[in-house]
Amino acid sequence: MIGQHEELIVRELELGTGAAIEVAVDKRGLRAGMQIWFGDLGPRNGPVAEMRPHGLKSHKVQLSFGNFSGAVINQIKEATHEDRQLARALVGSMESNVKIEVPGQSLEDWSVNDGNFRMDAQIRHETRSDTELMTEKTCRDVVVPMMGAMAELIGYDVIDEDETEDEPPVEGAIRPSVVNRRERNPRNRLLCIRLHGEICSACGLDPYERYGENGKIIEVHHLEPLSSLASPKPYDPVTDLVPLCPNCHRVAHSRRPLPWSISEVRSMLGMTND
């Protein structure tokens, strides 16, 4: 029964989306499913993902909007180009064993235009779908990208940490703050890891090989901070993010306002850039 995995589903979704998640078992139909929504919106005022077993080895997931989602949909329409890019990239990062469709739209440039928006996905597993392991896999590989995309469009933000007193003042300091917030964004981390893996792009550290199950330490680095741009440029989350270990990430930002490049950090370590 999918209801047995309620705590697991909430944990995976909150880690991946950076937002408070609530769930409820849906007993309609022959087999129970799970409805998933953002805690501050409820199931009537925002997006809801319904996750349900399909056959013995598959899950179906459908994302749609509640009947009173007009305010949230209007908010989504005001999302920035960068937010839309990240949302589409999250959905596009699903593995090949996931069949994903946005009825009436392409996966490359879909958008939420009204309350009729829907996103459908089906994932097939190698073993029974009702196990804890396969439920977790469906959450990570399907539900998290879907709900993470919605979280990005709605605008759930990471709270900025206070600047430390020993940090030198930088003209237009709002810009580095924005970049730092993006680097801590769990959706950015999720996408970066899905695309590039969890090995540091500078020193090559594999945290899980070094620290075992405690190796969830990889951070996300923005290759080109806003403060370095002479003029605005479209943000591409696929090419603008790289994974770095905490040490290399801190070293990269030890130079301000323009961080050291990945190749420069590698040179500090005596490594080649082949």
Side-chain angles (χ1 to χ4, degrees):
M1 289 287 294
I2 198 169
Q4 297 175 339
H5 309 308
E6 182 174 326
E7 291 184 4
L8 178 151
I9 292 171
V10 171
R11 182 180 70 246
E12 290 298 324
L13 265 292
E14 290 189 339
L15 284 173
T17 66
I21 296 292
E22 292 183 3
V23 302
V25 176
D26 182 359
K27 296 184 178 180
R28 294 174 299 176
L30 296 177
R31 303 176 69 183
M34 186 71 73
Q35 289 191 323
I36 303 162
W37 61 83
F38 295 119
D40 64 327
L41 294 177
R44 295 159 60 86
N45 300 306
V48 178
E50 181 181 298
M51 174 180 169
R52 191 176 296 275
H54 180 70
L56 290 177
K57 297 183 178 181
S58 297
H59 281 119
K60 278 190 173 182
V61 180
Q62 183 178 95
L63 185 143
S64 58
F65 281 80
N67 294 330
F68 301 95
S69 299
V72 166
I73 291 171
N74 287 334
Q75 185 173 335
I76 287 175
K77 289 180 180 179
E78 299 299 319
T80 67
H81 172 78
E82 296 178 2
D83 293 333
R84 294 194 297 271
Q85 285 286 89
L86 178 54
R88 290 167 181 159
L90 282 167
V91 172
S93 72
M94 293 188 195
E95 302 291 341
S96 59
N97 65 325
V98 180
K99 295 180 180 179
I100 177 76
E101 180 185 11
V102 180
Q105 301 191 56
S106 71
L107 287 178
E108 289 72 28
D109 62 355
W110 59 266
S111 60
V112 179
N113 299 314
D114 54 46
N116 294 319
F117 177 87
R118 198 177 84 237
M119 188 177 290
D120 299 312
Q122 180 175 338
I123 180 171
R124 180 170 177 80
H125 302 295
E126 296 180 356
T127 60
R128 291 179 62 95
S129 62
D130 57 1
T131 65
E132 179 176 312
L133 183 61
M134 293 303 102
T135 299
E136 182 179 37
K137 183 171 177 58
T138 297
C139 284
R140 290 184 179 179
D141 291 354
V142 183
V143 189
V144 165
M146 276 186 173
M147 292 295 282
M150 295 301 112
E152 193 67 23
L153 292 173
I154 292 170
Y156 288 106
D157 284 338
V158 179
I159 298 175
D160 286 323
E161 298 173 0
D162 292 335
E163 298 289 337
T164 58
E165 293 182 358
D166 60 346
E167 288 183 334
V170 179
E171 184 178 356
I174 184 72
R175 290 179 171 177
S177 176
V178 170
V179 171
N180 289 339
R181 179 174 60 80
R182 285 184 184 150
E183 289 172 353
R184 291 197 300 272
N185 184 337
R187 277 99 63 187
N188 269 332
R189 185 179 191 279
L190 170 69
L191 178 60
C192 186
I193 287 173
R194 290 174 74 92
L195 295 172
H196 304 296
E198 293 191 67
I199 297 177
C200 178
S201 295
C203 71
L205 172 70
D206 182 340
Y208 285 102
E209 182 178 309
R210 178 70 60 87
Y211 304 112
E213 63 181 14
N214 299 307
K216 192 175 183 179
I217 63 172
I218 283 294
E219 300 177 355
V220 171
H221 178 60
H222 235 70
L223 285 174
E224 193 170 12
L226 293 181
S227 57
S228 70
L229 299 180
S231 59
K233 121 181 167 171
Y235 165 64
D236 186 348
V238 177
T239 58
D240 290 349
L241 307 175
V242 294
L244 290 179
C245 71
N247 283 350
C248 289
H249 198 187
R250 190 168 183 84
V251 167
H253 283 287
S254 66
R255 183 172 71 178
R256 293 171 180 265
L258 182 65
W260 299 104
S261 68
I262 303 302
S263 61
E264 287 171 325
V265 174
R266 289 178 61 84
S267 295
M268 295 175 196
L269 295 168
M271 305 173 68
T272 63
N273 291 293
D274 295 337

